[in-house]
Amino acid sequence: MVRIATRSSVPAASRRQFLGRLSALTLSLGLAACGGGGGGGGTDDSGHNGGSNSAVSFTSGVISGFGSIIVNGVRFDDSAATVLDDKGGRLSRDDLHLGSQVEIEGGSIDRNSGRATALTIRIGSELKGRVTAVNLGAQSISMLGQTVLVTSNTVFDDSLGGGFSAISVGQLLEVHARFDATQGAYVASRIERESSSSEFKLRGVVADLDTTAMTFRIGSAVINYASVTAVPATLANGAWIRVRVQPTQVAGQWVATALEDGRRSSGDDRSESEVRGFITAWTSATRFSVDGTPVNADSAEFKDGRSVIVLGAFVEVEGALRDGVLVAREVKLEDSDDSHHSEDFELHGQISGLNTAAKRFTLRGVTVDYSQVAEWRDLSEASLADGLSVEVKGGLSPDGNTLMASRISRED
């Protein structure tokens, strides 16, 4: 699915620290947990309930296309969905972007057509903070004591024209990402530049919890939560936590203003659930966690065998949520090399802003370059026109700002 940087991009000591901590602690805590994570059923700032009692499915993943939105290969109709941020605040459909990490409460998923209806969509980035280092060779940045890796599938917002080359120390960035425990690093799916913020944020795994000093670590960041009035009952070593901090450190510590349960899974049982991400904790092929969601795969079908289910593997798991645990029906390995990324993204909609000289147009707010199309279906380049409904598949330009179309099809 994504190309990850080589293991040499993160110091060996750091990798060993993360591997030991995550494997030993995260899984045992997650599988013992009952109830749900902080992502589900909350109340937004307007007093509306963020969940939906009529929802039967839960999906966690990255937006890889529009038509309405495409997550984990499923096209979700978002026309009537409530869109929320990770604090429960109301957003609009215009806030849904390529590469954003989302959690979707929806209707039943038709596996034959790959379609479903989204009822509630929550958008949640992993990090917001200032860049403290840029490593051009490793294609990585440091922020909030964490390493963030940039790959060929990292989408860069227009605020960072030029992609990775536009990042510099001191910039305020918001990063959507998945955590790779084998590298002790976040693999970015989308990066946006922010102008200002009254708080920074970080989602990660708790380590070195000191309930007397009221501190813990996420990566190399030391968090002081003495001023937090509502501490989640799940706060423990190995737990996933979402923390908001003051933008300036005090005596080398980040001062927390809020703590929330960091698990992605819905707070309610769901008969259909699907998550896609890295295995972040592992005990066996049938007991592991994906992006912090504990999985019980005792009765699952393993599409690629059990031997590939290891720490750091990039997988998709389908099943049912029960008491915060994803009881798997199917586990399959997703492609994580860089051998074919020509059709990782998919857009459906009407062409606008057609520029035949530059061979570009806009589709669902995304700039599309059609200069390297390998396949035209039911249309030709000459028949492109504003208002024409098309399907576009392709990969990202080297700077991550443009979708390079490899196939364009006419749609009715």
Side-chain angles (χ1 to χ4, degrees):
M1 182 67 175
V2 295
R3 172 180 58 83
I4 57 178
T6 61
R7 295 179 190 275
S8 61
S9 63
V10 179
S14 175
R15 293 200 306 272
R16 289 194 297 270
Q17 182 183 58
F18 271 101
L19 285 168
R21 185 170 75 247
L22 289 170
S23 295
L25 299 174
T26 305
L27 185 62
S28 60
L29 180 78
L31 289 175
C34 292
T43 301
D44 68 22
D45 56 7
S46 302
H48 299 285
N49 192 285
S52 173
N53 291 330
S54 60
V56 298
S57 66
F58 172 81
T59 301
S60 175
V62 168
I63 296 177
S64 62
F66 292 104
S68 295
I69 65 169
I70 302 173
V71 179
N72 298 353
V74 178
R75 289 179 63 177
F76 288 90
D77 180 356
D78 64 344
S79 58
T82 298
V83 182
L84 306 173
D85 63 19
D86 54 13
K87 294 176 72 174
R90 291 277 184 148
L91 299 174
S92 74
R93 294 169 65 200
D94 292 339
D95 294 303
L96 298 167
H97 299 297
L98 209 61
S100 293
Q101 179 76 44
V102 295
E103 300 158 16
I104 301 174
E105 301 280 352
S108 182
I109 299 173
D110 185 333
R111 294 297 174 183
N112 292 323
S113 65
R115 293 176 180 263
T117 298
L119 301 176
T120 302
I121 303 172
R122 286 179 294 275
I123 308 172
S125 61
E126 300 294 90
L127 310 97
K128 180 189 287 188
R130 294 201 179 276
V131 177
T132 54
V134 178
N135 187 326
L136 181 61
Q139 289 284 286
S140 69
I141 61 176
S142 298
M143 53 190 295
L144 292 172
Q146 317 302 315
T147 298
V148 177
L149 304 178
V150 172
T151 79
S152 61
N153 275 354
T154 301
V155 179
F156 283 87
D157 184 72
D158 291 341
S159 59
L160 289 164
F164 187 82
S165 64
I167 295 178
S168 60
V169 172
Q171 285 179 340
L172 176 62
L173 301 182
E174 183 159 16
V175 179
H176 293 255
R178 297 180 173 108
F179 185 72
D180 181 357
T182 61
Q183 299 200 90
Y186 292 83
V187 181
S189 59
R190 180 179 178 84
I191 301 179
E192 305 171 359
R193 186 173 182 181
E194 300 289 323
S195 57
S196 63
S197 181
S198 60
E199 63 181 11
F200 294 169
K201 66 179 180 180
L202 172 64
R203 175 182 176 267
V205 179
V206 175
D208 295 341
L209 176 64
D210 186 333
T211 56
T212 301
M214 302 188 78
T215 60
F216 60 86
R217 282 192 306 103
I218 297 177
S220 63
V222 178
I223 314 294
N224 186 309
Y225 66 98
S227 299
V228 175
T229 56
V231 178
T234 56
L235 182 64
N237 284 322
W240 282 82
I241 203 78
R242 193 182 294 276
V243 56
R244 301 179 189 279
V245 300
Q246 295 176 2
T248 302
Q249 289 178 287
V250 176
Q253 299 181 346
W254 294 101
V255 179
T257 57
L259 297 179
E260 302 166 1
D261 188 327
R263 290 173 293 175
R264 291 201 188 280
S265 56
S266 167
D268 300 310
D269 287 355
R270 295 287 182 246
S271 59
E272 300 177 49
S273 183
E274 180 177 273
V275 299
R276 179 182 288 180
F278 292 104
I279 293 180
T280 48
W282 184 92
T283 296
S284 70
T286 60
R287 289 290 192 278
F288 54 91
S289 292
V290 178
D291 197 18
T293 298
V295 176
N296 178 334
D298 283 346
S299 302
E301 175 186 3
F302 291 82
K303 291 291 188 179
D304 304 284
R306 297 190 178 196
S307 63
V308 297
I309 306 304
V310 296
L311 187 69
F314 195 79
V315 297
E316 182 177 286
V317 181
E318 296 178 12
L321 273 177
R322 296 287 181 263
D323 293 330
V325 175
L326 178 50
V327 180
R329 290 188 292 267
E330 178 181 293
V331 180
K332 60 182 178 181
L333 189 69
E334 292 292 307
D335 178 33
S336 61
D337 64 31
D338 198 31
S339 59
H340 54 85
H341 289 296
S342 62
E343 294 191 354
D344 281 327
F345 298 93
E346 178 179 340
L347 303 176
H348 300 256
Q350 293 185 336
I351 291 174
S352 65
L354 178 64
N355 185 329
T356 55
K359 293 185 181 293
R360 293 190 171 200
F361 58 79
T362 300
L363 195 65
R364 298 298 297 265
V366 178
T367 300
V368 176
D369 183 313
Y370 61 89
S371 63
Q372 300 177 30
V373 173
E375 182 179 3
W376 297 88
R377 292 188 177 182
D378 301 323
L379 80 167
S380 65
E381 179 178 336
S383 63
L384 293 177
D386 284 344
L388 181 68
S389 293
V390 295
E391 172 195 277
V392 176
K393 291 190 176 182
L396 292 174
S397 58
D399 62 9
N401 294 134
T402 303
L403 182 66
M404 303 297 296
S406 60
R407 183 172 74 184
I408 299 181
S409 309
R410 181 191 294 272
E411 289 195 328
D412 296 328

